[in-house]
């Protein structure tokens, strides 16, 4: 007897694009404010397709957070790590943060995590753990970037790498907040040289 495995119908939509569209809805309306009708309309799929591909609303929300953390949230860090000159690296990092806060391709402003996701911590299982993990990873990578300059002799041996990493992370969050509030990118960009000098002062 031959057993034939039933093959499901292939998806008629792009998974990552649908996630980005769902993220935009959550970004604008928050977890509680985003209805399933809002989500399916933005994603261009039916309710059954959404459940089949992403699970329920909570599962979809967690997947959008993971998608953001794996892409947008890391972009400034990649820029920081790619530039050899620490001054230029810090400038590029902050400029990329400001660009992301004011010119995101989705049309949303600010940081998805700080603007929308954080308000659901304690209400949606799995969010607090994700926020703690992404914060710890970011501060670890920022610290390592300063420590690299200490090892090269560019920064003094007693340079407070971890403290400056925390300061840089807080600056990032501040710019994201200001971007969400509608501050013009030009005024924030103009502040960067002073911020860089502050970060590198021993």
């Amino acid at each position: 007897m031959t057993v034939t495995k039933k093959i499901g119908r292939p998806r008629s939509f792009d998974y990552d694009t649908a996630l980005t569209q769902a993220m935009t809805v959550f970004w604008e309306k928050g977890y509680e404010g985003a209805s399933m009708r809002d989500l399916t309309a933005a994603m261009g799929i039916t309710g059954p397709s959404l459940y089949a591909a992403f699970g329920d609303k909570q599962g979809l929300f967690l997947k959008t957070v993971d998608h953001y953390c794996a892409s947008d949230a890391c972009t400034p860090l990649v820029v920081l790590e790619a530039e050899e000159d620490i001054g230029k690296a810090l400038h590029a990092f902050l400029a990329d943060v400001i660009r992301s806060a004011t010119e995101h391709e989705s049309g949303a402003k600010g940081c998805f995590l700080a603007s929308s996701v954080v308000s659901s911590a304690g209400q949606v299982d799995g969010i607090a753990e994700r926020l703690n993990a992404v914060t710890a990873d970011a501060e670890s990578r920022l610290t390592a970037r300063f420590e690299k300059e200490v090892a090269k002799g560019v920064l003094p041996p007693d340079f407070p790498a971890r403290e400056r990493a925390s300061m840089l992370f807080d600056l990032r969050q501040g710019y994201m907040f200001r971007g969400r509030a509608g501050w013009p990118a030009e005024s924030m960009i103009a502040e960067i040289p002073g911020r860089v000098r502050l970060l590198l002062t021993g």
Side-chain angles (χ1 to χ4, degrees), residues 47-193:
S49 294
L50 187 154
Y51 282 108
F54 304 101
D56 58 11
K57 179 181 173 181
Q58 178 179 334
L60 174 61
F61 185 52
L62 294 176
K63 286 180 173 64
T64 64
V65 174
D66 292 339
H67 180 68
Y68 182 81
C69 290
S71 52
D72 291 37
C74 292
T75 302
L77 287 168
V78 172
V79 170
L80 179 78
E81 293 165 341
E83 172 59 57
E84 281 300 315
D85 181 274
I86 185 60
K88 292 179 180 178
L90 291 171
H91 192 288
F93 173 89
L94 292 173
D96 199 69
V97 166
I98 293 168
R99 179 204 59 76
S100 179
T102 58
E103 303 173 13
H104 194 273
E105 60 185 13
S106 70
K109 292 183 177 181
C111 169
F112 180 45
L113 302 182
S115 300
S116 177
V117 177
V118 71
S119 64
S120 64
Q123 300 175 17
V124 180
D125 290 341
I127 290 299
E129 294 82 356
R130 281 168 168 78
L131 291 173
N132 289 334
V134 73
T135 299
D137 178 67
E139 291 202 357
S140 177
R141 290 171 68 176
L142 294 173
T143 300
R145 185 65 184 85
F146 284 119
E147 288 177 340
K148 177 182 177 180
E149 298 305 310
V150 173
K152 288 164 54 179
V154 174
L155 295 174
D158 60 348
F159 185 83
R162 181 161 292 278
E163 288 83 353
R164 296 304 163 82
S166 294
M167 182 186 296
L168 183 54
F169 183 84
D170 290 344
L171 279 173
R172 174 192 181 278
Q173 298 306 98
Y175 280 129
M176 287 295 185
F177 178 84
R178 287 203 255 174
R180 182 74 171 183
W183 282 50
E186 294 78 11
S187 66
M188 293 188 281
I189 291 287
E191 298 174 345
I192 291 180

